[in-house]
Amino acid sequence: MSLLRDLFGPSRDEIWQQVAAAVGGKASAGNFWAGGGKVEAAHGQWMVTLDTYVVSTGKTTITYTRMRAPYVNPDGFQFTIYRRGIFSDIGKWMGMQDVVVGDPQFDEDFIIKGNDEAKLCRLFADARLRELVSAQPDIHFCVKDDENKFWGGQGFPSNVDELYFQVTGVIKDVHRLKQLFDLFAETLDELCRMGSAYEQNPCVTL
């Protein structure tokens, strides 16, 4: 174990135990290669879950880090935000919606899409939320429809969606992961203030 630690640094489980302690959550161990470990932390009535999952492409496998938080979404408001790049600019030229929220640097750095422009502008008027988004070197952050229905699962209640973050690779940076939990907390609180989330238990277990 010490040789592996010298070669690769602290394991994911070690780092995530630290993250759990920092956010007042609990960590369960898993297999580094196959995933299975997770960190769960409550924020109000919501449970935020950090884990990894693996996708096989046939010749190789890709590991993703994700964070999820189911919540009651009374008005169906949805958004997606990710960093601007070559392919996102091509998408914009082809007609992809890109909402401007009024912060020139933020608008320059990110592609923001959603189904209600006024609510998008209100959500990202939150300076702390913009700060937490900007702190992520790589980010795909969105409100996602019930994912279980696509995989033959039981599914969520009809008015429940989930706040969802995903990036390629395993994040082993305590500060970055703590900021992600802060981002989820800030976003859920702001959605509540906007009337786009209810501060109640969605009765969903991931």
Side-chain angles (χ1 to χ4, degrees):
M1 178 62 75
S2 60
L3 176 60
L4 289 175
R5 201 178 196 281
D6 290 341
L7 287 173
F8 300 109
S11 70
R12 181 198 65 180
D13 289 343
E14 288 180 84
I15 296 295
W16 286 20
Q17 287 280 0
Q18 296 177 40
V19 173
V23 300
K26 63 178 182 178
S28 60
N31 181 286
F32 180 85
W33 303 111
K38 63 183 178 180
V39 175
E40 294 178 302
H43 178 67
Q45 295 295 312
W46 306 292
M47 183 63 67
V48 183
T49 301
L50 166 71
D51 65 4
T52 60
Y53 72 98
V54 176
V55 174
S56 174
T57 62
K59 295 183 178 180
T60 186
T61 58
I62 303 172
T63 302
Y64 295 90
T65 298
R66 66 182 172 183
M67 187 174 285
R68 298 171 291 165
Y71 70 98
V72 176
N73 185 352
D75 61 4
F77 173 58
Q78 295 188 345
F79 70 86
T80 299
I81 182 168
Y82 50 91
R83 284 196 174 274
R84 190 181 301 275
I86 294 175
F87 293 109
S88 60
D89 284 340
I90 291 173
K92 184 177 178 182
W93 297 335
M94 295 173 65
M96 181 185 297
Q97 179 188 15
D98 179 18
V99 174
V100 174
V101 298
D103 180 321
Q105 188 61 58
F106 195 79
D107 289 327
E108 176 67 25
D109 291 342
F110 295 96
I111 295 287
I112 306 167
K113 300 185 293 178
N115 59 358
D116 187 319
E117 185 171 350
K119 282 184 175 289
L120 277 174
C121 291
R122 180 174 174 183
L123 177 64
F124 290 103
D126 184 328
R128 175 59 176 160
L129 194 153
R130 295 199 310 274
E131 176 187 344
L132 289 165
V133 168
S134 299
Q136 294 298 317
D138 186 19
I139 186 170
H140 185 97
F141 184 46
C142 64
V143 173
K144 191 171 183 179
D145 281 331
D146 181 354
E147 62 180 305
N148 290 336
K149 65 185 179 183
F150 297 109
W151 301 102
Q154 183 177 357
F156 294 169
S158 60
N159 61 344
V160 173
D161 289 329
E162 63 181 348
L163 205 56
Y164 191 95
F165 165 90
Q166 174 182 296
V167 293
T168 305
V170 179
I171 301 178
K172 296 198 299 177
D173 181 319
V174 174
H175 182 62
R176 182 182 178 189
L177 290 168
K178 184 178 182 303
Q179 286 183 318
L180 276 174
F181 276 100
D182 290 344
L183 172 60
F184 268 63
E186 184 69 25
T187 304
L188 287 165
D189 287 344
E190 184 59 28
L191 288 173
C192 266
R193 288 189 285 267
M194 292 166 49
S196 294
Y198 288 157
E199 193 173 353
Q200 68 185 63
N201 189 329
C203 299
V204 170
T205 301
L206 296 176

